[in-house]
Amino acid sequence: MHRSPAVRGRGITKSFGDVVALDGVDLDVASGQVHGLVGPNGAGKTTLLGLLLGLAVADSGRLEILDTPVGRTLAVPDGVAGFVDGPGLYPSLTARQNLSALASLRRYDAGRTADVDDVLEQVGLTDVADDRVRGFSLGMRQRLGLAAALLTKPRLLVLDEPRLLVLDEPANGLDPAGKHHVHRVITGLAADGTAVVLSSHRMDDLAALCSEVTILATGRVVFSGPVSKLAAESGELDYRLLTSDPAAAHRLASETPGLRVVPGRDPGQRPDADVVVRGPVPALDELVVRLVRDGVALRELGPVVAPLEAAFLALTGTGTVPAQADQEDQR
Ligand SMILES: Nc1ncnc2c1ncn2[C@@H]1O[C@H](COP(=O)(O)OP(=O)(O)OP(=O)(O)O)[C@@H](O)[C@H]1O
Ligand SMILES: [Mg+2]
């Protein structure tokens, strides 16, 4: 099936006074694609998403959304829904009232109970539909924000247009059930042809949801492409080995061509101490062969930092991982 681009941005620049928030950014998002934006704090993610939502205009560059060039006036382009910097909600109203108010405000043919109930159900908020938003947790607010964005869908379907959903950190503050709901909603929309552009600080979330990612660092694109290609960008990784004989493992690792033992550990001190090595996968294979040949049992072997996060660190030059997800999350 031919899928027209939902977003085509070229050389987009946006400054706030002396701060260059976006510096010649290109962005391509196909219909039906979930595209992730990632980058350190202040990289320009929210600024870029704001341009897609018509909340600001670029200083220079070209931006086409759903085949329509974006002009100089502030307006939400037709067929686009979403939020940046957290959804705007009325704390004194219930979840249901917030959605109904929003629907009538935007003069959708919605506000219809069926639509409101449907989106509440999709994000898993049916049980708290009649509770005031004031008492909602961060994750519940995020889910309600997604429900609000989803309310536009009926109108968009009527117009039979390609659609674009823009979400700034939609998974922020979500518990596992909330994450599951949000992931399912996003994946479902994409399968129906909606393009989704979302930002996240979590590489594991992006890997689970997105087919393509754009990495921004201080307003510039440092990587754009498939997630699978990103993992390959990480180059040589550090691997942690847990063996029955750390001292022997240390010696064998330092003798294996292409491998380097990462210093800072003293394998002689503890019987269960690990050894950290750096090198390409074939050299690691060779080490495993040597360990086994010398009767050293290999108990654990894995990258110290997950490949996607290692790529992120290398590309953005940051010393911190966007979110140090625990090992289980990364699988
Ligand atoms: N309205 C504004 N006025 C002045 N400076 C701004 C404004 N909006 C953004 N900036 C600046 O532009 C840069 C990019 O900000 P942006 O909010 O887009 O980053 P971000 O990638 O979303 O960061 P975070 O991960 O913290 O959400 C920052 O240096 C920020 O201080
Ligand atoms: Mg932001």
Side-chain angles (χ1 to χ4, degrees):
M1 175 168 67
H2 171 71
R3 296 202 147 158
S4 61
V7 178
R8 190 167 188 280
R10 288 294 175 273
I12 296 170
T13 300
K14 176 78 185 170
S15 300
F16 298 99
D18 290 344
V19 177
V20 182
L22 297 173
D23 188 2
V25 168
D26 294 346
L27 181 69
D28 288 287
V29 185
S31 295
Q33 182 186 88
V34 184
H35 193 106
L37 280 187
V38 66
N41 290 131
K45 303 179 295 294
T46 298
T47 303
L48 184 55
L49 296 177
L51 296 180
L52 301 183
L53 283 169
L55 300 174
V57 289
D59 298 336
S60 60
R62 279 182 297 126
L63 180 60
E64 283 173 24
I65 297 179
L66 304 174
D67 290 329
T68 309
V70 171
R72 305 299 306 165
T73 47
L74 293 178
V76 183
D78 269 346
V80 182
F83 60 81
V84 294
D85 275 342
L89 301 164
Y90 298 105
S92 58
L93 300 184
T94 67
R96 193 192 303 279
Q97 286 167 340
N98 260 283
L99 295 180
S100 301
L102 197 81
S104 48
L105 201 73
R106 293 191 195 154
R107 289 193 222 98
Y108 301 145
D109 183 24
R112 286 178 305 172
T113 329
D115 294 333
V116 171
D117 283 349
D118 180 46
V119 293
L120 283 167
E121 162 102 46
Q122 284 191 60
V123 300
L125 288 180
T126 305
D127 289 349
V128 292
D130 296 311
D131 292 355
R132 283 182 206 278
V133 165
R134 178 175 293 126
F136 275 22
S137 67
L138 171 66
M140 288 157 82
R141 284 168 204 264
Q142 288 289 97
R143 290 204 237 172
L144 187 54
L146 178 59
L150 291 177
L151 261 188
T152 58
K153 199 183 164 202
R155 184 183 72 134
L156 301 173
L157 276 181
V158 170
L159 292 179
D160 194 25
E161 282 176 341
R163 293 150 285 156
L164 173 64
L165 184 64
V166 177
L167 302 169
D168 196 13
E169 299 186 38
N172 191 14
L174 293 182
D175 63 17
K179 201 185 289 194
H180 179 74
H181 275 289
V182 169
H183 280 205
R184 201 174 53 193
V185 167
I186 289 172
T187 313
L189 286 171
D192 287 346
T194 299
V196 184
V197 185
L198 55 90
S199 68
S200 174
H201 283 112
R202 297 192 65 114
M203 291 304 300
D204 52 344
D205 267 341
L206 287 183
L209 265 175
C210 303
S211 47
E212 304 236 343
V213 290
T214 292
I215 299 184
L216 290 174
T218 55
R220 289 169 190 253
V221 174
V222 292
F223 174 88
S224 192
V227 173
S228 53
K229 193 173 149 229
L230 176 61
E233 294 270 326
S234 53
E236 291 188 353
L237 295 176
D238 286 358
Y239 295 89
R240 177 175 288 124
L241 293 110
L242 209 58
T243 62
S244 57
D245 186 345
H250 189 280
R251 178 179 48 80
L252 288 167
S254 54
E255 289 168 8
T256 303
L259 274 193
R260 209 153 60 75
V261 179
V262 178
R265 290 165 192 271
D266 187 351
Q269 294 299 305
R270 286 184 3 238
D272 63 342
D274 48 18
V275 175
V276 176
V277 298
R278 181 174 304 162
V281 171
L284 204 66
D285 291 345
E286 173 61 23
L287 173 59
V288 173
V289 170
R290 291 177 182 215
L291 286 169
V292 173
R293 202 173 51 207
D294 278 27
V296 179
L298 182 61
R299 293 173 179 165
E300 262 181 53
L301 170 61
V304 173
V305 176
L308 286 180
E309 287 175 6
F312 178 93
L313 293 174
L315 288 164
T316 58
T318 47
T320 52
V321 179
Q324 189 75 56
D326 57 39
Q327 290 293 321
E328 266 166 27
D329 263 2
Q330 292 164 13
R331 282 178 198 138

